Amino acid sequence: MGIENLPRTIEMTESADGRRTARIVDQRALPRDLSYSDVKTHREMIDAVKTLALRGAPAIGIGGAAALALYAENESGADDAAALLSELETVAQSVSTARPTAVNLSWGVARALEVARVAAAGTAAASAVADALVSNVQAMIAEDEAANRAIGAFGAELLGAGTRILTHCNAGSLATAFYGTALGVVYAAHRQGKIDMVYADETRPVGQGARLTAWELGRAGVPCTLICDNMAASVMAAGKVDAVVVGADRICANGDTANKIGTYGLAVLARHHGIPFYVAAPTSTTDASLTAGSQIPIEERAATEVSACIPQGVEVFNPAFDVTPANLITAIITERGVFDPESV
């Protein structure tokens, strides 16, 4: 058992009919079934992102870039590069807004659009632009894994022998092209013999911790204990947690960080119990255009995620993310090193 037992979350492949596709792990089926979906159009990619078949900030950033490549390869009828570029400008808008909180999605789309512009400036062939977009996705996949492994290495240096980590949601290999951010720290530290236990919050209401993080850690051979979200305080109070490590969906210029709903509460608990609280994320998750967490758009999702049976007359509030203030974050771990939140 080990990291090699984890699947590649997203890859560019070629179907039997010769069409380029994005093959993704369908995370809705886990942990019962490890299955894959072949995404052939930008609308299918938007659906995969919205329905959480593909999720995790770094992974959906790659998915956003792949959506433009798929449009250019399989959908556009443009005769030349200029016409294709015009179409891609429109497609980019619909893809980048599929989920509003994770900045990696719009970042990935913007990067792909710039690749298309550069390619179109040097060729009249629409096919050459499509090829450039596919190459860009493949480059992003390689860059993401390299960044995650660097995050893991930097994060592992912060941990001592016998460390017990608590994590929330899934910031593992499934949330990236491969390896993971918060769990990348875990995998690197585990390889060094430093990890005694990982406590995985179930992460209500969709259960990314229970369904995905626990599955990942078990498959990779990392000691894991699954707990309900409301057990975290008791586990901390019992002295069973040495560090909290989570991922991020957007990091503001001042270090305020959006992550899966429930992260803010963990940061408050960690501060109360004197436990370091680390955020692990690639630099593509930073958003210097926002000066504070109050400016981050917070996605609200369907009431049925909270309960399949809602009593008549009862309203449901279901924000997918919350914001952890920078003053509750011990450090932010990136592929470029470890930073104080305010200097990230």
Side-chain angles (χ1 to χ4, degrees):
M1 300 179 75
I3 189 73
E4 65 277 1
N5 290 316
L6 298 179
R8 298 275 168 173
T9 303
I10 180 170
E11 296 180 287
M12 291 300 292
T13 64
E14 190 171 296
S15 61
D17 60 4
R19 300 172 73 192
R20 289 222 177 95
T21 66
R23 174 159 291 182
I24 65 169
V25 174
D26 188 340
Q27 298 185 39
R28 298 168 299 185
L30 289 169
R32 291 182 177 87
D33 182 35
L34 174 57
S35 61
Y36 298 83
S37 294
D38 287 330
V39 180
K40 297 180 180 180
T41 70
H42 82 287
R43 294 193 183 279
E44 288 178 2
M45 184 61 77
I46 289 173
D47 182 69
V49 169
K50 285 185 173 180
T51 62
L52 308 183
L54 181 69
R55 48 147 299 280
I60 67 172
I62 297 168
L68 269 63
L70 294 171
Y71 179 85
E73 277 281 321
N74 302 329
E75 300 176 82
S76 175
D79 295 326
D80 56 53
L84 174 58
L85 182 59
S86 178
E87 293 176 3
L88 288 171
E89 298 274 1
T90 301
V91 169
Q93 179 62 28
S94 61
V95 176
S96 63
T97 56
R99 295 194 70 190
T101 302
V103 73
N104 301 66
L105 180 58
S106 57
W107 168 82
V109 171
R111 169 170 163 160
L113 202 54
E114 182 59 25
V115 166
R117 290 180 183 131
V118 171
T123 180
S127 60
V129 176
D131 288 343
L133 287 170
V134 171
S135 295
N136 173 60
V137 175
Q138 293 167 334
M140 289 177 71
I141 289 170
E143 290 167 17
D144 183 63
E145 181 178 348
N148 296 334
R149 289 183 181 276
I151 288 169
F154 283 121
E157 292 178 2
L158 302 172
L159 307 177
T163 296
R164 298 157 300 175
I165 287 175
L166 189 148
T167 192
H168 190 69
C169 193
N170 173 263
S173 189
L174 290 167
T176 67
F178 190 72
Y179 201 75
T181 54
L183 291 193
V185 174
V186 169
Y187 294 139
H190 181 253
R191 186 174 182 179
Q192 297 171 15
K194 292 182 174 180
I195 299 297
D196 185 63
M197 180 59 63
V198 177
Y199 291 94
D201 275 350
E202 62 172 341
T203 318
R204 285 278 299 150
V206 184
Q208 293 95 330
R211 295 188 303 105
L212 306 178
T213 294
W215 179 85
E216 254 197 57
L217 292 173
R219 195 173 176 95
V222 178
C224 175
T225 298
L226 177 63
I227 62 174
C228 297
D229 293 353
N230 57 8
M231 298 174 184
S234 294
V235 173
M236 289 183 185
K240 295 181 178 181
V241 178
D242 301 303
V244 177
V245 185
V246 299
D249 288 86
R250 191 182 300 238
I251 301 172
C252 296
N254 71 340
D256 290 352
T257 298
N259 194 50
K260 185 55 57 183
I261 190 72
T263 303
Y264 176 32
L266 286 179
V268 173
L269 289 171
R271 176 59 57 88
H272 175 77
H273 290 95
I275 298 168
F277 185 93
Y278 298 115
V279 171
T283 52
S284 57
T285 303
T286 60
D287 184 359
S289 72
L290 301 186
T291 59
S294 59
Q295 299 166 350
I296 298 175
I298 300 298
E299 175 186 2
E300 293 187 29
R301 294 184 62 83
T304 52
E305 287 187 349
V306 175
S307 176
C309 183
I310 301 167
Q312 186 175 359
V314 174
E315 296 183 2
V316 173
F317 177 51
N318 184 24
F321 305 91
D322 56 23
V323 176
T324 300
N327 61 10
L328 294 178
I329 299 171
T330 305
I332 296 176
I333 308 163
T334 78
E335 75 275 24
R336 299 182 186 178
V338 180
F339 298 89
D340 293 330
E342 63 272 13
S343 64
V344 69

PDB file of all heavy atoms in Angstrom, residues 115-135:
ATOM      1  N   VAL A 115      -3.283  31.061 -23.484  1.00  0.00           N
ATOM      2  CA  VAL A 115      -2.610  30.113 -24.376  1.00  0.00           C
ATOM      3  C   VAL A 115      -3.240  30.156 -25.758  1.00  0.00           C
ATOM      4  O   VAL A 115      -2.549  30.158 -26.788  1.00  0.00           O
ATOM      5  CB  VAL A 115      -2.673  28.681 -23.795  1.00  0.00           C
ATOM      6  CG1 VAL A 115      -2.293  27.635 -24.851  1.00  0.00           C
ATOM      7  CG2 VAL A 115      -1.757  28.559 -22.589  1.00  0.00           C
ATOM      8  N   ALA A 116      -4.579  30.204 -25.806  1.00  0.00           N
ATOM      9  CA  ALA A 116      -5.288  30.266 -27.090  1.00  0.00           C
ATOM     10  C   ALA A 116      -4.968  31.556 -27.836  1.00  0.00           C
ATOM     11  O   ALA A 116      -4.786  31.538 -29.068  1.00  0.00           O
ATOM     12  CB  ALA A 116      -6.788  30.148 -26.850  1.00  0.00           C
ATOM     13  N   ARG A 117      -4.890  32.669 -27.116  1.00  0.00           N
ATOM     14  CA  ARG A 117      -4.577  33.949 -27.751  1.00  0.00           C
ATOM     15  C   ARG A 117      -3.183  33.928 -28.374  1.00  0.00           C
ATOM     16  O   ARG A 117      -2.981  34.393 -29.501  1.00  0.00           O
ATOM     17  CB  ARG A 117      -4.688  35.070 -26.725  1.00  0.00           C
ATOM     18  CG  ARG A 117      -6.111  35.371 -26.284  1.00  0.00           C
ATOM     19  CD  ARG A 117      -6.133  36.492 -25.273  1.00  0.00           C
ATOM     20  NE  ARG A 117      -7.481  36.755 -24.782  1.00  0.00           N
ATOM     21  CZ  ARG A 117      -7.816  36.865 -23.495  1.00  0.00           C
ATOM     22  NH1 ARG A 117      -6.873  36.723 -22.561  1.00  0.00           N
ATOM     23  NH2 ARG A 117      -9.061  37.102 -23.155  1.00  0.00           N
ATOM     24  N   VAL A 118      -2.216  33.410 -27.616  1.00  0.00           N
ATOM     25  CA  VAL A 118      -0.842  33.338 -28.128  1.00  0.00           C
ATOM     26  C   VAL A 118      -0.778  32.437 -29.351  1.00  0.00           C
ATOM     27  O   VAL A 118      -0.137  32.769 -30.359  1.00  0.00           O
ATOM     28  CB  VAL A 118       0.112  32.849 -27.027  1.00  0.00           C
ATOM     29  CG1 VAL A 118       1.500  32.559 -27.603  1.00  0.00           C
ATOM     30  CG2 VAL A 118       0.204  33.881 -25.906  1.00  0.00           C
ATOM     31  N   ALA A 119      -1.457  31.293 -29.277  1.00  0.00           N
ATOM     32  CA  ALA A 119      -1.444  30.361 -30.403  1.00  0.00           C
ATOM     33  C   ALA A 119      -2.108  30.969 -31.631  1.00  0.00           C
ATOM     34  O   ALA A 119      -1.611  30.834 -32.755  1.00  0.00           O
ATOM     35  CB  ALA A 119      -2.142  29.058 -30.014  1.00  0.00           C
ATOM     36  N   ALA A 120      -3.241  31.655 -31.406  1.00  0.00           N
ATOM     37  CA  ALA A 120      -3.970  32.259 -32.526  1.00  0.00           C
ATOM     38  C   ALA A 120      -3.172  33.375 -33.182  1.00  0.00           C
ATOM     39  O   ALA A 120      -3.333  33.637 -34.381  1.00  0.00           O
ATOM     40  CB  ALA A 120      -5.313  32.782 -32.041  1.00  0.00           C
ATOM     41  N   ALA A 121      -2.318  34.036 -32.409  1.00  0.00           N
ATOM     42  CA  ALA A 121      -1.503  35.118 -32.974  1.00  0.00           C
ATOM     43  C   ALA A 121      -0.416  34.580 -33.900  1.00  0.00           C
ATOM     44  O   ALA A 121       0.116  35.319 -34.738  1.00  0.00           O
ATOM     45  CB  ALA A 121      -0.866  35.930 -31.846  1.00  0.00           C
ATOM     46  N   GLY A 122      -0.107  33.278 -33.743  1.00  0.00           N
ATOM     47  CA  GLY A 122       0.986  32.716 -34.545  1.00  0.00           C
ATOM     48  C   GLY A 122       0.545  31.743 -35.606  1.00  0.00           C
ATOM     49  O   GLY A 122       1.384  31.157 -36.301  1.00  0.00           O
ATOM     50  N   THR A 123      -0.760  31.536 -35.745  1.00  0.00           N
ATOM     51  CA  THR A 123      -1.240  30.582 -36.739  1.00  0.00           C
ATOM     52  C   THR A 123      -2.636  30.962 -37.202  1.00  0.00           C
ATOM     53  O   THR A 123      -3.376  31.633 -36.470  1.00  0.00           O
ATOM     54  CB  THR A 123      -1.275  29.156 -36.162  1.00  0.00           C
ATOM     55  OG1 THR A 123      -1.739  28.240 -37.162  1.00  0.00           O
ATOM     56  CG2 THR A 123      -2.219  29.070 -34.972  1.00  0.00           C
ATOM     57  N   ALA A 124      -3.001  30.505 -38.380  1.00  0.00           N
ATOM     58  CA  ALA A 124      -4.359  30.711 -38.870  1.00  0.00           C
ATOM     59  C   ALA A 124      -5.205  29.461 -38.691  1.00  0.00           C
ATOM     60  O   ALA A 124      -6.423  29.491 -38.912  1.00  0.00           O
ATOM     61  CB  ALA A 124      -4.328  31.101 -40.352  1.00  0.00           C
ATOM     62  N   ALA A 125      -4.582  28.354 -38.246  1.00  0.00           N
ATOM     63  CA  ALA A 125      -5.279  27.076 -38.159  1.00  0.00           C
ATOM     64  C   ALA A 125      -5.944  26.891 -36.798  1.00  0.00           C
ATOM     65  O   ALA A 125      -5.275  26.960 -35.764  1.00  0.00           O
ATOM     66  CB  ALA A 125      -4.302  25.940 -38.417  1.00  0.00           C
ATOM     67  N   ALA A 126      -7.237  26.619 -36.820  1.00  0.00           N
ATOM     68  CA  ALA A 126      -7.958  26.359 -35.575  1.00  0.00           C
ATOM     69  C   ALA A 126      -7.414  25.115 -34.885  1.00  0.00           C
ATOM     70  O   ALA A 126      -7.344  25.047 -33.655  1.00  0.00           O
ATOM     71  CB  ALA A 126      -9.444  26.200 -35.864  1.00  0.00           C
ATOM     72  N   SER A 127      -6.996  24.124 -35.665  1.00  0.00           N
ATOM     73  CA  SER A 127      -6.478  22.875 -35.101  1.00  0.00           C
ATOM     74  C   SER A 127      -5.207  23.106 -34.286  1.00  0.00           C
ATOM     75  O   SER A 127      -4.963  22.414 -33.286  1.00  0.00           O
ATOM     76  CB  SER A 127      -6.202  21.856 -36.209  1.00  0.00           C
ATOM     77  OG  SER A 127      -5.248  22.362 -37.125  1.00  0.00           O
ATOM     78  N   ALA A 128      -4.400  24.083 -34.684  1.00  0.00           N
ATOM     79  CA  ALA A 128      -3.174  24.390 -33.949  1.00  0.00           C
ATOM     80  C   ALA A 128      -3.499  24.992 -32.584  1.00  0.00           C
ATOM     81  O   ALA A 128      -2.811  24.731 -31.591  1.00  0.00           O
ATOM     82  CB  ALA A 128      -2.297  25.340 -34.754  1.00  0.00           C
ATOM     83  N   VAL A 129      -4.549  25.809 -32.527  1.00  0.00           N
ATOM     84  CA  VAL A 129      -4.997  26.369 -31.245  1.00  0.00           C
ATOM     85  C   VAL A 129      -5.492  25.244 -30.345  1.00  0.00           C
ATOM     86  O   VAL A 129      -5.180  25.204 -29.139  1.00  0.00           O
ATOM     87  CB  VAL A 129      -6.100  27.423 -31.460  1.00  0.00           C
ATOM     88  CG1 VAL A 129      -6.630  27.918 -30.122  1.00  0.00           C
ATOM     89  CG2 VAL A 129      -5.569  28.580 -32.287  1.00  0.00           C
ATOM     90  N   ALA A 130      -6.265  24.317 -30.897  1.00  0.00           N
ATOM     91  CA  ALA A 130      -6.763  23.186 -30.119  1.00  0.00           C
ATOM     92  C   ALA A 130      -5.607  22.354 -29.568  1.00  0.00           C
ATOM     93  O   ALA A 130      -5.618  21.952 -28.397  1.00  0.00           O
ATOM     94  CB  ALA A 130      -7.681  22.327 -30.978  1.00  0.00           C
ATOM     95  N   ASP A 131      -4.608  22.115 -30.399  1.00  0.00           N
ATOM     96  CA  ASP A 131      -3.438  21.349 -29.941  1.00  0.00           C
ATOM     97  C   ASP A 131      -2.726  22.072 -28.798  1.00  0.00           C
ATOM     98  O   ASP A 131      -2.274  21.439 -27.836  1.00  0.00           O
ATOM     99  CB  ASP A 131      -2.466  21.132 -31.096  1.00  0.00           C
ATOM    100  CG  ASP A 131      -2.981  20.125 -32.112  1.00  0.00           C
ATOM    101  OD1 ASP A 131      -3.911  19.368 -31.782  1.00  0.00           O
ATOM    102  OD2 ASP A 131      -2.448  20.115 -33.238  1.00  0.00           O
ATOM    103  N   ALA A 132      -2.615  23.383 -28.895  1.00  0.00           N
ATOM    104  CA  ALA A 132      -1.959  24.165 -27.839  1.00  0.00           C
ATOM    105  C   ALA A 132      -2.739  24.074 -26.533  1.00  0.00           C
ATOM    106  O   ALA A 132      -2.144  24.001 -25.448  1.00  0.00           O
ATOM    107  CB  ALA A 132      -1.823  25.623 -28.283  1.00  0.00           C
ATOM    108  N   LEU A 133      -4.057  24.070 -26.625  1.00  0.00           N
ATOM    109  CA  LEU A 133      -4.893  23.981 -25.426  1.00  0.00           C
ATOM    110  C   LEU A 133      -4.760  22.612 -24.759  1.00  0.00           C
ATOM    111  O   LEU A 133      -4.717  22.514 -23.522  1.00  0.00           O
ATOM    112  CB  LEU A 133      -6.353  24.256 -25.783  1.00  0.00           C
ATOM    113  CG  LEU A 133      -6.680  25.716 -26.089  1.00  0.00           C
ATOM    114  CD1 LEU A 133      -8.079  25.848 -26.677  1.00  0.00           C
ATOM    115  CD2 LEU A 133      -6.558  26.584 -24.832  1.00  0.00           C
ATOM    116  N   VAL A 134      -4.688  21.560 -25.554  1.00  0.00           N
ATOM    117  CA  VAL A 134      -4.488  20.224 -24.985  1.00  0.00           C
ATOM    118  C   VAL A 134      -3.120  20.131 -24.324  1.00  0.00           C
ATOM    119  O   VAL A 134      -2.983  19.602 -23.207  1.00  0.00           O
ATOM    120  CB  VAL A 134      -4.646  19.144 -26.073  1.00  0.00           C
ATOM    121  CG1 VAL A 134      -4.219  17.771 -25.541  1.00  0.00           C
ATOM    122  CG2 VAL A 134      -6.087  19.089 -26.564  1.00  0.00           C
ATOM    123  N   SER A 135      -2.097  20.639 -24.977  1.00  0.00           N
ATOM    124  CA  SER A 135      -0.750  20.635 -24.396  1.00  0.00           C
ATOM    125  C   SER A 135      -0.714  21.419 -23.091  1.00  0.00           C
ATOM    126  O   SER A 135      -0.008  21.041 -22.139  1.00  0.00           O
ATOM    127  CB  SER A 135       0.255  21.220 -25.387  1.00  0.00           C
ATOM    128  OG  SER A 135       0.364  20.407 -26.531  1.00  0.00           O
TER     129      SER A 135
END
